[in-house]
Amino acid sequence: MTSNLSQKTSNLTVIIPTKNSERFLPKCLESVKSCRQVIVVDSNSKDKTKSIVNTYGRVYVNFEWNKKYPKKRAWALDKLLIESDWILMLDSDECISDEFLREFDNRITKSDHNGFWIHYNNYFMNKLMRYGVSQKKLALIRKNHGTYEDFGENDWTEYDMEIHEHIIVDGTVGKMNTKLFHLQNESYEQMLDKHFEYAKWEAKRYASFSIKSSSTLREKIKYHLINKFFFSYVYFFFQYFVLLGFLDGFEGYKYAKIKFKYFKRVYELLRK
C-alpha cells in the first residue's frame, strides 16, 4: 500500500486533517512520500502527531476553529499556500498506492474534469470488506475549483472538521479507477462509540436539512427516510443480504450491525 516511487509526483498536494492521529499517520505519510507537497492540518493534538510530521519533513499547520464557516478542510483549501494544480484530501487512516499515483500522473493530470470521486478499499477489524455498500468520496480536485458545502451548523456542532459535507466542484467530475485504502482497524466497540457520537451530529443535521440545498441524491434519499422507524432495518438488510455483506464473514456482520445501530440511534434521538 505504500509508495516507492523515486521521484516526487510533480503536481499533487495532499492535505491531511488530524487530531491525535499518531496511530495511523505514519502509514499515511509513508504512502504519500512521493507527492510534491503534503500539509497536515491539526487540531491541537496531545499525542506525537506533530513530531511524526516533522520526522517526515512535511508541513504542520495547527487549526483553531472560531465556531464559524469554514471548518478545517474548507479553511485549508482557502487559506493554505498550495504549490500544485491538484489537491487530494486524505484522512490520516487512509493510504494511497503506487498504482494510484501512476493513474494520477498518466490520466488525471490530462483530464478536463475538475474533480474526481475515489472509491475505498475499506478495512474493518483488520479485514478487507469486499461487499456491502460501496464507500466513496469526492476528494481529488483541481486547485481553485472546489470547496466544502456550508451546512450552517455553527450553532449546534462541536466538530471543527467536516463530517458529511461534500466538496462542491466548479466544473465536471469524473471517477478514479484506482481505490484508496481506508484502514478502519478499530475494534467493534471503538467503531460503535464513534458512530454513536456521529449519530448526535446526524440528528442535529437532520433538523437543519434542506432538500434543495443538498448536493447529492444519496443524501436526499437518506434524509427523506432517516426519521422512519424501518430505515435502520432496511439499511441492514440491504447492506448484509442484498449487497452480500454476509460474504465478509463475522466482520461483515459486525460492520452491518454498527450501521444498523447508528441509524437506529439517529431515529431515537429524532424522537426525543
Side-chain angles (χ1 to χ4, degrees):
M1 290 187 290
T2 59
S3 172
N4 294 309
L5 301 179
S6 58
Q7 296 182 345
K8 290 189 181 300
T9 302
S10 60
N11 213 16
L12 181 60
T13 291
V14 181
I15 298 176
I16 307 170
T18 57
K19 184 173 183 178
N20 297 324
S21 302
E22 65 179 9
R23 179 182 176 190
F24 295 108
L25 189 56
K27 286 185 178 180
C28 179
L29 290 174
E30 184 69 21
S31 78
V32 298
K33 66 182 182 182
S34 301
C35 298
R36 174 177 175 179
Q37 183 183 31
V38 178
I39 306 174
V40 174
V41 185
D42 193 37
S43 295
N44 297 302
S45 288
K46 305 302 182 184
D47 64 1
K48 298 179 181 178
T49 292
K50 184 175 183 179
S51 64
I52 292 171
V53 177
N54 291 337
T55 297
Y56 277 84
R58 295 305 193 170
V59 176
Y60 175 94
V61 177
N62 194 62
F63 173 66
E64 295 281 356
W65 190 39
N66 63 2
K67 303 296 183 179
K68 299 178 181 179
Y69 183 87
K71 294 166 79 174
K72 186 188 287 188
R73 291 189 177 103
W75 176 87
L77 290 174
D78 182 53
K79 299 298 184 181
L80 297 179
L81 180 61
I82 307 299
E83 297 176 354
S84 54
D85 292 337
W86 286 90
I87 304 166
L88 174 64
M89 307 300 293
L90 198 65
D91 289 343
S92 60
D93 62 352
E94 296 172 344
C95 299
I96 60 174
S97 63
D98 289 358
E99 183 182 0
F100 185 100
L101 290 175
R102 279 193 289 269
E103 181 180 358
F104 172 78
D105 288 333
N106 297 329
R107 185 172 78 89
I108 303 306
T109 57
K110 301 177 178 65
S111 171
D112 293 328
H113 294 308
N114 288 333
F116 282 87
W117 286 94
I118 307 172
H119 283 261
Y120 302 161
N121 276 317
N122 195 38
Y123 285 79
F124 173 61
M125 296 174 63
N126 296 305
K127 180 175 181 176
L128 175 62
M129 300 286 100
R130 300 182 181 277
Y131 302 94
V133 177
S134 177
Q135 303 294 315
K136 67 177 182 178
K137 66 177 182 176
L138 207 172
L140 180 62
I141 60 171
R142 198 186 299 270
K143 184 173 67 173
N144 298 325
H145 285 276
T147 192
Y148 286 84
E149 56 193 336
D150 180 5
F151 282 174
E153 58 185 299
N154 304 337
D155 298 329
W156 54 261
T157 186
E158 61 187 62
Y159 293 106
D160 72 346
M161 188 171 74
E162 294 81 357
I163 304 298
H164 292 312
E165 292 92 330
H166 298 91
I167 295 179
I168 306 300
V169 174
D170 173 21
T172 59
V173 175
K175 183 183 75 171
M176 283 203 69
N177 297 321
T178 311
K179 295 181 178 181
L180 61 79
F181 297 88
H182 189 204
L183 306 177
Q184 290 187 125
N185 287 331
E186 296 100 331
S187 68
Y188 170 79
E189 290 76 17
Q190 289 172 324
M191 280 282 289
L192 187 60
D193 287 344
K194 182 187 296 184
H195 276 70
F196 278 176
E197 285 299 312
Y198 287 161
K200 298 176 185 177
W201 180 93
E202 192 87 76
K204 292 178 180 178
R205 162 66 175 147
Y206 174 84
S208 65
F209 178 72
S210 169
I211 290 290
K212 293 181 180 180
S213 67
S214 177
S215 62
T216 67
L217 176 61
R218 186 170 179 174
E219 185 181 53
K220 291 177 182 179
I221 294 172
K222 181 179 73 171
Y223 281 108
H224 182 69
L225 298 173
I226 202 171
N227 67 332
K228 306 295 191 297
F229 172 77
F230 59 80
F231 182 67
S232 57
Y233 296 90
V234 171
Y235 192 95
F236 178 88
F237 181 83
F238 191 71
Q239 164 89 11
Y240 193 64
F241 292 106
V242 177
L243 296 181
L244 308 179
F246 66 89
L247 293 179
D248 283 323
F250 176 73
E251 292 84 359
Y253 169 72
K254 299 295 279 188
Y255 191 74
K257 190 175 180 181
I258 284 176
K259 295 297 185 180
F260 167 77
K261 286 179 173 286
Y262 171 73
F263 287 117
K264 191 170 187 293
R265 176 60 62 90
V266 174
Y267 171 79
E268 292 170 348
L269 290 171
L270 291 176
R271 304 304 291 179
K272 289 183 177 181

